[in-house]
Amino acid sequence: KKKKKKKKMYIEACVPKGIENKKNFIETLTNENNNLKIKERKNNIRSKKYKLIQSEKYIKENIEKKKSFIEENRLAKKKSKFIIPSKAKIFFVIRIRGINGVSPRAKKIMELLRLNQINNGVFLKVNSSTNQMLRKIEPFVAFGYPSLKSIKNLIKKRGFGKIGKRGCWQRTNLSESGIIEQGLSNIGIFNLEEIIHEIYNCGTRFREINNFLWPFKLKSPKKGYSNIGKSKHFIEGGAYGNWEESINDLILKMN
């Protein structure tokens, strides 16, 4: 007699609900992460394009200004006239003396201007209040009107931003990726060219940018500030006081 083959019975294993839920959760997370990455890539591409467009725009503006100024000078020479240059909008202030002989008022003003150490430099708006403050601390500082070139060199070489909270600021280099965006994206600034443009033209966002910038730490100039020393005014051949356009030579020495 032929033996009847027994049919094999297959029992479907029941997957616990907890494992199924976990699997679904992981799948949704991976999908969300992929979507976020795609969005980030798109945003990065847009921001890079925007940065390039803005920097090109400011470079073109500066070139056009230079050309127009040269042409105006040529025409003025032909007509035997001269052009009165436009008034400067910003000061660059450098502390040249230490603690000795500093009055409490002068010390407080220098603290307000963030000139806490020798060879520290900051940008300031040209107005009546800054003029009054500079008069009170004149024997301890050298200041003048910086050119676009010296502003560019300062920010690119010695530019640092402050990131964090009051009391625990971090000094970070502006050349590091994402630092400018992190500190100034809320006012619509994303690259160095925009910072340089706003400072030079003393724009509407000058105050925020200036607060974001760490005071410039300059090196001591070769062969000193002047032949006579720091105790006399710049007009007398000394170092302190208003250098006007000559401050650019001092910045070159100290940068």
Side-chain angles (χ1 to χ4, degrees):
K1 286 179 183 178
K2 287 179 181 180
K3 287 180 181 179
K4 286 180 181 179
K5 286 181 181 179
K6 287 180 180 179
K7 287 180 181 179
K8 287 179 181 179
M9 298 290 285
Y10 293 100
I11 300 160
E12 286 182 7
C14 241
V15 180
K17 274 187 180 180
I19 292 163
E20 269 186 13
N21 291 337
K22 197 177 181 181
K23 197 180 178 182
N24 292 330
F25 177 70
I26 290 160
E27 279 175 6
T28 51
L29 264 178
T30 49
N31 290 329
E32 279 175 10
N33 285 332
N34 290 331
N35 291 330
L36 278 169
K37 280 176 183 177
I38 291 157
K39 278 182 184 177
E40 275 177 14
R41 279 175 196 166
K42 283 178 181 177
N43 288 332
N44 286 334
I45 292 158
R46 281 173 193 165
S47 65
K48 278 177 184 177
K49 281 180 181 176
Y50 174 76
K51 283 174 190 176
L52 281 166
I53 291 158
Q54 287 295 99
S55 57
E56 280 173 6
K57 181 191 166 185
Y58 294 134
I59 289 159
K60 279 178 185 175
E61 268 181 31
N62 292 328
I63 291 161
E64 281 170 11
K65 276 181 185 176
K66 273 185 183 178
K67 281 180 180 177
S68 65
F69 182 71
I70 290 158
E71 280 174 14
E72 280 171 10
N73 275 328
R74 279 176 187 167
L75 289 165
K77 276 181 183 178
K78 279 179 183 178
K79 292 173 183 179
S80 65
K81 290 178 181 178
F82 61 91
I83 293 165
I84 298 162
S86 58
K87 286 182 180 180
K89 293 175 183 177
I90 55 159
F91 284 124
F92 186 69
V93 188
I94 304 164
R95 182 170 175 171
I96 59 167
R97 287 179 73 181
I99 302 161
N100 296 339
V102 182
S103 65
R105 187 186 282 180
K107 198 177 180 182
K108 187 70 183 172
I109 290 163
M110 284 195 278
E111 277 176 19
L112 284 167
L113 299 176
R114 302 182 298 158
L115 297 167
N116 298 318
Q117 295 174 336
I118 297 173
N119 300 336
N120 271 13
V122 290
F123 292 110
L124 290 175
K125 266 186 185 180
V126 176
N127 54 35
S128 59
S129 61
T130 51
N131 281 324
Q132 282 173 11
M133 286 164 93
L134 288 170
R135 273 178 207 157
K136 284 166 186 173
I137 59 162
E138 199 173 21
F140 311 102
V141 293
F143 59 94
Y145 315 121
S147 64
L148 178 64
K149 191 183 178 182
S150 52
I151 291 166
K152 263 187 186 179
N153 292 337
L154 272 170
I155 289 167
K156 283 180 179 179
K157 195 176 178 182
R158 296 188 182 271
F160 284 83
K162 60 179 186 184
I163 281 165
K165 291 178 181 178
R166 188 171 284 179
C168 55
W169 295 113
Q170 284 185 327
R171 184 172 176 260
T172 47
N173 201 330
L174 295 177
S175 59
E176 286 180 29
S177 60
I179 293 299
I180 296 166
E181 282 181 32
Q182 198 178 330
L184 298 170
S185 59
N186 58 335
I187 57 164
I189 282 167
F190 301 95
N191 58 10
L192 274 174
E193 287 298 328
E194 286 178 300
I195 288 171
I196 293 159
H197 182 266
E198 280 291 316
I199 285 168
Y200 180 65
N201 294 305
C202 197
T204 52
R205 297 169 287 183
F206 176 85
R207 191 182 171 186
E208 290 85 356
I209 292 163
N210 203 26
N211 287 335
F212 168 71
L213 288 172
W214 199 277
F216 294 91
K217 290 186 176 183
L218 306 169
K219 65 182 182 185
S220 50
K222 284 181 181 179
K223 298 178 182 179
Y225 295 96
S226 68
N227 296 327
I228 296 166
K230 302 176 192 177
S231 58
K232 287 193 176 180
H233 199 280
F234 174 70
I235 296 161
E236 298 170 330
Y240 77 79
N242 192 353
W243 285 54
E244 295 182 357
E245 277 77 28
S246 301
I247 197 76
N248 296 307
D249 301 324
L250 185 62
I251 290 165
L252 246 178
K253 270 188 184 181
M254 298 178 79
N255 197 1

